[in-house]
Amino acid sequence: MKTGSLDIARDDGLLHAGSPHAPIVDLAEVAGTSTPEAQAAGASVNEGGLELLRRARAFAEPLLSGQSFDTGEDALVHADGVGAILHGIGASPSLRAAAYLVYASDYLTNPQDVLSRAFGADAAALVAHTVKLVQVQRNARDLMGDETDAPLDAEQVERIRKMLLAFSRDLRVVLLRLASRLQTLRHYAERKLPCPKALARESLQIFAPLANRLGIWQIKWELEDLSFRFLQPDTYRTIAKALHEKRLERERHIEQVMQQLQAALSASGIDAQVQGRPKHIYSIYKKMQGKALSLDRVFDLRALRVIVGDVHACYAALSCVHELWQPLQDEFSDYIARPKSNGYQSLHTIVLDEQGRSIEVQIRTQAMHEHAESGVAAHWAYKEAGSKGYAGVQAAGDFESRVAEARKMVLRQLLAWERDVAESGHVGQGGHPSASPGQGLFEDRIYVFTPGGDIIDLPAGATPIDLAYVLHTNLGHRCRGARVDGAMVPLQTPLQSGQTVEIVSAKEGGPSMDWLNSELGYLRSPRSRAKVRAWFNALAQQATIARGREAVEKLLQREGKTAIKLDDLASQLGFRSADALFDVVGKDEFSLRNIEQVLRPAEPAPDPDELMLQKLARGDVGQPGGDGKGVLVVGLDSLLTQLARCCKPAPPDRIGGYVTRGKGVAVHRADCSNFQHMAREHKERVIPVTWGRQAMTEKAHYAVDVSIEALDRPGLMRDVFDVFAQGKITVLSMHNHTVREHLQLTLTLQTPDSSRLSGLLHKVLQIHGVLRVRRK
């Protein structure tokens, strides 16, 4: 890499990942503490990798010398730059060697065979995957254009991100592409050339978040800052000038305050790890946008992170920080006592150093730090939600959770590939062939292009018909053929990621029943099958509705009701529409007799009171065999009578009738006080009644209430019940009340004739202790 590029980047407040000041990924930290045997094996593999790197560059140099890319960059210089970036993040020599082979393959007649013989099948496969991914990315970038800085549709961006991982069976391909893109942006910055906006937008919206998800921070922030510089140069310069200091100066200040805080914590007996970073320009811009802040209100341009052993040490470290520097009021947040909704915990405070420069300090335990870095509260996750991410929007979902779970393993697979896998035969532990890194993580989906450049997400093995139904249901119904990469293919052809698919459709028509036959392989997606079934179900329903309409219209013609509105008829029958009525009629689930009843409504039933008065006026009621005209006979006209509950009449009691409202005639005993009162108030409603023969048969039973007053004694109730039992009188219910040995007993008796009670009541009165017996 040329020095001029680094100097220019420094003048802009940037720090390249490959520069002496950039943090280099510690492979021991990434892969974990290794044993001496593993270190020895790694050293042996590393020596072989360096030899492979020298051979690869020597192989590529004559092919790339004098060649230029469409960006104007020298091909060999670009390959050297990519290798330097990979080296800066700790990539293995074999992966750096692949960078040369990828670009050299463009100038080989049969690259797969040549590279396989010279460098092995693994290197050849890595090159092939990378070249294919470059072609797919170019197709996606053509969709963006250069005319606007507006962000891409969020769903489209997410599909592209997933495609980059799903399409690359080997995750090393993604790392090569990230390094290549960073080198391209550096080329434009070094030469001070205008960068195509589509390329800058793709870098900012796709490559930088992808690097972020993989935890490759150096590449991530430099991609963001360079892309931001090309997309919004005025805003970039404004923020850069407003900082009043170069990035290297800020880094030196961070280093100084880190040492100062570390010493203060050690003096206080607090075992802590202090980390520091200056905030890069794009991150500053995003925070200003997301929180609507001015630059002077962004207090975390310089930030320190303190990691301690336990919660008690967190607060002890906070006290030490506030003693060392002046804290800002209203800029302290205790997320340990009050965690965020996503579980994030930490202490946040803003302090001013001796020169009055603000420093953000985050204090947390190791467990809190691991949760923040790899859990649902990860810093990288919420920032990807865009400017709204600072307001609480999280970029969560199945894809993100799967990346978070694999995150710690990804760098180990990418950067320490040659440590764990022997180059000869690529054999893993236990002697079994090892799979490519990341293989199987995202192979359940494929991503294809439409002729317009849109990326469509489909299940693995999807066919052109599945694609047609995703685009539009009607297009799926009318699908008759498909062109894949310009060639006509059968409709059962499984699609592959990266293909461009054009659907050939008819102007009219529908799907075939063969499409639902799983053995023929026309459809892979359950959603597509559901749409085909819905089409045939709708077709069958239309035939049923037509059959039902015909039956209803014929009925209306027979009844002479053709003028009636069909929707009104359906509403009267309880249906939401006429088609709903026709549907059930066509299925024979609704009888036409129900419609006839609506068309021919029955005459309303006469009022019971009116009917009774009409019968009395006509003399239709009376005792059979007697004159009885105008006299209501209880037992014969029983539907018009009811026995009053207040006096409970029974034959042969003298009775009278009172016409009630809506309940027929109430029959009372003539001596009933209620009846006598109503007769005085409404004489016109009193009618004569008499007991009929049916009312006086042995089969007729009447309830009669009897009241007994007595002095309570043992055996009294038994003696009373014995009397009624001897007289064959049934006791239906009993209610008793005792006050100072004085018993008040009320019995409800069942009898066909109240005259039978006279003798029994006399016997009850003779029982010892009974004072009084009467009928209520």
Side-chain angles (χ1 to χ4, degrees), residues 469 472-480 509-511 515 531-532 535:
Y469 275 111
H472 198 283
T473 301
N474 287 335
L475 181 62
H477 292 336
R478 295 182 286 106
C479 178
R480 296 297 179 266
W515 293 2
K531 289 187 175 183
V532 174
W535 191 87

Side-chain angles (χ1 to χ4, degrees), residues 47-66:
E47 290 178 2
L50 289 174
E51 175 60 27
L52 176 63
L53 175 59
R54 286 191 289 268
R55 288 177 49 223
R57 193 184 190 288
F59 176 84
E61 186 173 3
L63 296 172
L64 299 180
S65 295

Side-chain angles (χ1 to χ4, degrees), residues 535-551:
W535 191 87
F536 284 108
N537 290 341
L539 207 63
Q541 187 180 31
Q542 290 175 5
T544 302
I545 290 174
R547 187 165 55 251
R549 177 185 288 272
E550 182 180 4

Side-chain angles (χ1 to χ4, degrees), residues 453-501:
D454 292 332
I455 298 175
I456 306 301
D457 179 357
L458 296 170
T463 66
I465 304 178
D466 289 315
L467 170 62
Y469 275 111
V470 169
L471 295 174
H472 198 283
T473 301
N474 287 335
L475 181 62
H477 292 336
R478 295 182 286 106
C479 178
R480 296 297 179 266
R483 293 187 182 90
V484 176
D485 293 332
M488 291 294 296
V489 298
L491 290 177
Q492 302 100 314
T493 303
L495 301 177
Q496 304 293 328
S497 284
Q499 292 178 330
T500 299
V501 184

Side-chain angles (χ1 to χ4, degrees), residues 214-418:
L214 295 178
I216 311 171
W217 313 119
Q218 300 97 309
I219 291 181
K220 179 254 185 185
W221 71 254
E222 193 171 354
L223 284 172
E224 287 182 338
D225 273 8
L226 287 172
S227 302
F228 179 49
R229 169 183 172 178
F230 295 130
L231 289 173
Q232 300 186 49
D234 295 338
T235 306
Y236 178 90
R237 292 191 191 95
T238 300
I239 296 176
K241 291 179 181 179
L243 291 176
H244 296 297
E245 58 182 349
K246 302 293 188 294
R247 182 179 182 85
L248 294 181
E249 295 174 1
R250 283 186 283 141
E251 288 184 336
R252 294 190 187 100
H253 178 252
I254 287 294
E255 184 66 26
Q256 177 185 349
V257 295
M258 280 175 56
Q259 296 175 1
Q260 188 178 358
L261 179 57
Q262 186 73 66
L265 292 171
S266 299
S268 300
I270 301 173
D271 184 16
Q273 177 187 356
V274 180
Q275 303 171 351
R277 60 168 179 81
K279 205 172 186 71
H280 60 281
I281 292 179
Y282 184 70
S283 179
I284 295 171
Y285 168 75
K286 292 296 289 183
K287 189 155 193 176
M288 292 169 62
Q289 292 293 108
K291 290 190 172 181
L293 299 174
S294 60
L295 184 61
D296 58 350
R297 297 298 299 171
V298 179
F299 294 126
D300 60 343
L301 296 178
R302 305 163 195 85
L304 298 179
R305 180 176 294 135
V306 180
I307 300 176
V308 296
D310 53 34
V311 174
H312 176 75
C314 289
Y315 291 98
L318 176 67
S319 176
C320 183
V321 170
H322 285 178
E323 290 177 1
L324 183 62
W325 295 305
Q326 177 186 353
L328 287 181
Q329 294 183 354
D330 302 328
E331 292 296 338
F332 169 71
S333 298
D334 187 348
Y335 295 120
I336 294 179
R338 296 181 298 277
K340 291 185 178 182
S341 59
N342 56 17
Y344 174 86
Q345 288 184 291
S346 185
L347 297 177
H348 289 196
T349 185
I350 303 292
V351 296
L352 298 178
D353 67 359
E354 295 80 357
Q355 288 76 34
R357 290 176 290 191
S358 61
I359 306 171
E360 180 192 47
V361 182
Q362 300 176 359
I363 307 173
R364 62 181 66 152
T365 65
Q366 184 64 37
M368 295 174 189
H369 180 64
E370 291 178 358
H371 177 74
E373 289 297 308
S374 301
V376 296
H379 201 56
W380 58 270
Y382 79 75
K383 281 193 177 181
E384 281 189 46
S387 61
K388 292 183 180 180
Y390 288 98
V393 178
Q394 297 181 20
D398 181 61
F399 173 73
E400 287 75 13
S401 63
R402 290 163 72 180
V403 172
E405 292 172 359
R407 184 178 178 205
K408 292 183 179 180
M409 295 299 300
V410 167
L411 281 180
R412 189 176 297 119
Q413 292 168 340
L414 294 178
L415 306 181
W417 174 259
E418 295 298 338

Side-chain angles (χ1 to χ4, degrees), residues 102-294:
V102 167
Y103 302 112
S105 67
D106 288 342
Y107 305 99
L108 296 175
T109 303
N110 194 344
Q112 190 74 16
D113 292 341
V114 173
L115 295 177
S116 181
R117 288 195 302 269
F119 298 96
D122 181 68
L126 179 59
V127 169
H129 285 313
T130 305
V131 171
K132 187 175 292 186
L133 181 58
V134 171
Q135 296 172 350
V136 172
Q137 289 173 338
R138 285 175 178 171
N139 291 337
R141 191 163 63 244
D142 291 341
L143 174 66
M144 298 183 182
D146 283 346
E147 300 301 324
T148 178
D149 292 334
L152 293 176
D153 177 78
E155 182 179 359
Q156 187 81 345
V157 172
E158 186 61 22
R159 284 177 174 174
I160 296 174
R161 291 177 189 163
K162 291 181 182 180
M163 179 196 66
L164 296 179
L165 293 180
F167 191 69
S168 297
R169 297 172 64 89
D170 189 337
L171 288 176
R172 294 175 297 172
V173 174
V174 180
L175 190 57
L176 283 170
R177 293 303 304 135
L178 290 172
S180 176
R181 177 52 54 87
L182 177 56
Q183 175 58 30
T184 299
L185 294 182
R186 286 182 177 181
H187 162 71
Y188 283 111
E190 176 186 358
R191 298 298 178 89
K192 297 184 179 180
L193 298 173
C195 177
K197 289 186 178 180
L199 188 141
R201 290 177 61 208
E202 184 186 44
S203 302
L204 181 63
Q205 298 174 344
I206 298 171
F207 282 83
L210 181 60
N212 195 17
R213 288 182 177 183
L214 295 178
I216 311 171
W217 313 119
Q218 300 97 309
I219 291 181
K220 179 254 185 185
W221 71 254
E222 193 171 354
L223 284 172
E224 287 182 338
D225 273 8
L226 287 172
S227 302
F228 179 49
R229 169 183 172 178
F230 295 130
L231 289 173
Q232 300 186 49
D234 295 338
T235 306
Y236 178 90
R237 292 191 191 95
T238 300
I239 296 176
K241 291 179 181 179
L243 291 176
H244 296 297
E245 58 182 349
K246 302 293 188 294
R247 182 179 182 85
L248 294 181
E249 295 174 1
R250 283 186 283 141
E251 288 184 336
R252 294 190 187 100
H253 178 252
I254 287 294
E255 184 66 26
Q256 177 185 349
V257 295
M258 280 175 56
Q259 296 175 1
Q260 188 178 358
L261 179 57
Q262 186 73 66
L265 292 171
S266 299
S268 300
I270 301 173
D271 184 16
Q273 177 187 356
V274 180
Q275 303 171 351
R277 60 168 179 81
K279 205 172 186 71
H280 60 281
I281 292 179
Y282 184 70
S283 179
I284 295 171
Y285 168 75
K286 292 296 289 183
K287 189 155 193 176
M288 292 169 62
Q289 292 293 108
K291 290 190 172 181
L293 299 174
S294 60

Side-chain angles (χ1 to χ4, degrees), residues 650-653 696-698 700 702 704 729 751-757:
D653 294 338
M696 300 180 68
T697 61
E698 289 291 331
Y702 299 90
V704 176
I729 297 297
T751 178
D753 187 350
S754 63
S755 61
R756 293 186 184 184
L757 293 177

